[in-house]
Amino acid sequence: MGQDIDQLAINTIRTLSIDAVEKANSGHPGTPMSMAPVAYELWQNHLRYDPADPIWPNRDRFVLSAGHASMLLYSMLHLAGVKRVDDDYNVLDEPAVSLHEIERFRQLHSRTPGHPEYRWTTGVETTTGPLGQGVGTSVGMAMASKWQGERFGSELFDFDVYALAGDGCLMEGISHEAASLAGHLKLDNLCWMYDNNHITIDGDTSLAYGDDALTRFEAYGWNVLRVGDANDAGLLARAFEAFKAETGRPTLIVIDSHIGWGSPNKQDTESAHGEPLGEEEVRLTKKAYGWPEDAQFLVPDGVRQRFDEVIGVRGAELSAAWKQKLDGSGHAAEIEMMQHRELPDGWDSAIPSFEADEEKGLATRKASNKVENAIAEKVPWLLAGSADLTDSTSVRLNFDGAVNFEPGSFDGRQIHFGIREHAAAAACSGLSLSKLKPLWSTYLTFSDYARPAIRLSALMELPVIHLFTHDSIGLGEDGPTHQPVEQLAGLRAVPALDVIRPADANETAEAWRVAVGRTHDPVALVLTRQTVPIFDRSRYASAEGLRKGGYVLADCEGEPELILIATGSEVQLALGAHETLIGEGIRSRVVSLPCWEIFERQDAAYRDQVLPPAVTARVAIEEASTLGWERWVGTEGAIIGMTTFGQSAPFADVEAEFGFTPEHVAEVAREVAKGATVNSSTT
Ligand SMILES: Cc1ncc(C[n+]2csc(CCOP(=O)(O)OP(=O)(O)O)c2C)c(N)n1
Ligand SMILES: [Mg+2]
């Protein structure tokens, strides 16, 4: 076609994207068209990436934060010949994205879903689509590179992280948190490429956006570069070289571009963003590219070979040299273990068991701290962070060597995320994607500030620990702004996220065992601020029951006629009421149900043993929204929960105000046992 091979390759990225969107009759052609030269220059000439081993641990990461431009990434994965990796980490002799899959863009079960999904399509480094999440996650990846570089040596780990962001990513609040954190941490291995095309869905950005991005990022302490034309490979190359040479600052490259580049009627318009170009415009655009107008999904001769010769050859050399270094490093076993998300032998051997103490008790956040330290000391890659509530949420590591993660000690274990919940959660996804074991913490109410990133950790099936304390109105004086009500229901509604709310210190130890032991799926650990009794397990059932999500904690002689179900700090209320009711001759049972999701995964026989279907007199007690408890108490049961916000007062007064006393629980239970219909909540 008379174009030089690199231009031909760039136009192939463009036309594959155009054709895939056209065939699907849905998708976003404009940004792949304009950003094709940027992706091409980066991948071919800078990215240290081996298409034949896409899980090589020290590969540079390419994050498509503008996830709607997914066809850009799929085209790159296809043309670069990236191999597919199966769930057991085996590289297969088949493409991650075949041409057939590109033709099936956005169709059911294709490897080319609407937005890139980690774990589903090899080569997708993180799931993106909700704008800003990619840049947030990229910070965690850059942190992980620094951590591993410090621990294992920079000859083994020094990978760079590139994220392609649009106007939307930069407008989203998370980009502020993430950029501010990255600047503070001096993450000079992080490069964001800002596609400055002045177009979003509604039209020109002047409708809603007038930031001076250059000044903004300079103020964060970033190195800011500008490329005035996305089609200028020379300028792009210089910018990438400048990024690589920079020390002590992350880099933002502002790249001026024209969305829908080459489309005679749609370039620079919002209609190029999220709709197929249309048959006629496709022809005109292909003509403008010097492309055969009728050809579809055309990959001209020489294009795949060009990728093989450049990124393919460079990547193979780099990954082979790395593997040699690894073999001689003495770190191979540990790195291998991390890569497979395995844990060192004996990781759980120091988990304490807590003596019964029903008088003084212990807050579950305090018990959690002891367990966390006992595990973290044995799992070197467990990192504990907090959004400025390190001691309030009790996540401080206190053993020798557990220093802060910061410039100068990037192998530190304690992360100070600052008051940046959203970026903290997103960065934890980045750490986890890089095979570290992260946890971060805040108060349960403020989990709302991180919710989109929590959701993505679940969608990606990443074993992140989201740790939340001050988990109910029981936090007392701080009042309704800080007292969570609807957060538990909200978190429980997230698929693949297990929400664990332990009742006492020993259940807390079990909850940690579950959380750290898993290789997939996040956990939300939900803990109290206030002290709760440590139950006498010689009298009640073992806390090991938590491993099944729910268990019979206290029982009666014979078949129960009434079941009290509770979680966390309310289990003590259930037990208190239970003792009274047993004394009155009512055959009551207490079920501790710290994790609904795990309980639901047990077989029916076990679930029916704990909650016999014939026993319909049931009372649930939880200091949270009643939403969802109908599932456990049925139509004849009662729910003692919250239907309003809380109150600011000392905790005992707040609990009494809302009916969270053993006496009130017993009162409701007597009525339910009699078969009376009881109003479903206390307020
Ligand atoms: C959090 C979030 N809000 C809204 C959207 C819907 N959305 C998808 S793309 C887009 C516009 C993005 O504009 P820009 O980032 O400039 O991308 P461009 O069109 O230039 O590629 C919007 C609002 C989204 N994906 N995520
Ligand atoms: Mg834009």
Side-chain angles (χ1 to χ4, degrees), residues 31 68 129-131 166-169 172 195 197 199-201 259 273:
T31 303
H68 54 276
L131 297 170
D167 299 300
C169 292
E172 289 291 352
D195 175 14
N197 64 14
I199 293 289
T200 64
I201 293 180
I259 194 166
H273 160 91

Side-chain angles (χ1 to χ4, degrees), residues 1-39:
M1 285 177 235
Q3 312 181 3
D4 85 29
I5 185 68
D6 295 317
Q7 194 55 47
L8 203 59
I10 290 167
N11 285 337
T12 308
I13 301 166
R14 289 174 165 142
T15 51
L16 282 179
S17 303
I18 291 170
D19 289 341
V21 172
E22 206 64 25
K23 179 154 186 215
N25 197 21
S26 137
H28 303 75
T31 303
M33 290 159 73
S34 57
M35 285 292 109
V38 178

Side-chain angles (χ1 to χ4, degrees), residues 2-152:
Q3 312 181 3
D4 85 29
I5 185 68
D6 295 317
Q7 194 55 47
L8 203 59
I10 290 167
N11 285 337
T12 308
I13 301 166
R14 289 174 165 142
T15 51
L16 282 179
S17 303
I18 291 170
D19 289 341
V21 172
E22 206 64 25
K23 179 154 186 215
N25 197 21
S26 137
H28 303 75
T31 303
M33 290 159 73
S34 57
M35 285 292 109
V38 178
Y40 186 74
E41 173 61 27
L42 175 66
W43 282 55
Q44 281 289 57
N45 298 324
H46 306 275
L47 204 69
R48 294 171 294 175
Y49 187 87
D50 181 5
D53 185 3
I55 56 171
W56 164 37
N58 195 38
R59 68 190 180 282
D60 288 345
R61 273 35 170 203
F62 174 73
V63 171
L64 185 69
S65 195
H68 54 276
S70 55
M71 265 315 303
L72 175 66
L73 180 53
Y74 299 145
S75 300
M76 296 307 293
L77 294 173
H78 174 67
L79 295 173
V82 174
K83 296 278 189 240
R84 187 166 154 223
V85 178
D86 70 12
D87 290 344
D88 299 319
Y89 307 101
N90 302 305
V91 180
L92 307 179
D93 191 20
E94 53 182 274
V97 176
S98 65
L99 199 55
H100 177 63
E101 293 297 304
I102 288 183
E103 292 183 33
R104 294 196 332 113
F105 180 49
R106 294 189 156 221
Q107 305 309 303
L108 193 65
H109 304 316
S110 74
R111 296 279 162 198
T112 48
H115 295 83
E117 293 180 39
Y118 173 75
R119 89 185 147 65
W120 179 243
T121 309
T122 304
V124 171
E125 301 283 10
T126 181
T127 297
T128 52
L131 297 170
Q133 292 298 323
V135 288
T137 303
S138 73
V139 173
M141 294 175 173
M143 290 167 70
S145 175
K146 290 292 184 192
W147 189 91
Q148 288 165 300
E150 196 77 34
R151 180 166 179 87
F152 302 119

Side-chain angles (χ1 to χ4, degrees), residues 38 42 63 65 132-140 142 161-166 169-183 187-195 216-217 220 222-225 239-240 243 250-255 423:
V38 178
L42 175 66
V63 171
S65 195
Q133 292 298 323
V135 288
T137 303
S138 73
V139 173
V161 182
Y162 297 88
L164 181 59
C169 292
L170 260 60
M171 283 190 225
E172 289 291 352
I174 189 175
S175 73
H176 161 71
E177 294 183 20
S180 166
L181 179 61
L187 299 176
D188 52 21
N189 56 346
L190 180 65
C191 177
W192 289 2
M193 299 162 281
Y194 168 34
D195 175 14
R216 173 185 165 199
F217 278 75
Y220 292 138
W222 285 50
N223 168 38
V224 181
L225 306 170
F240 290 130
F243 154 63
T251 291
L252 177 77
I253 309 178
V254 179
I255 303 169

Side-chain angles (χ1 to χ4, degrees), residues 535-548:
F535 302 129
D536 179 354
R537 298 286 172 169
S538 66
R539 202 153 143 238
Y540 301 121
S542 159
E544 278 183 28
L546 179 138
R547 297 176 196 180
K548 294 189 163 173

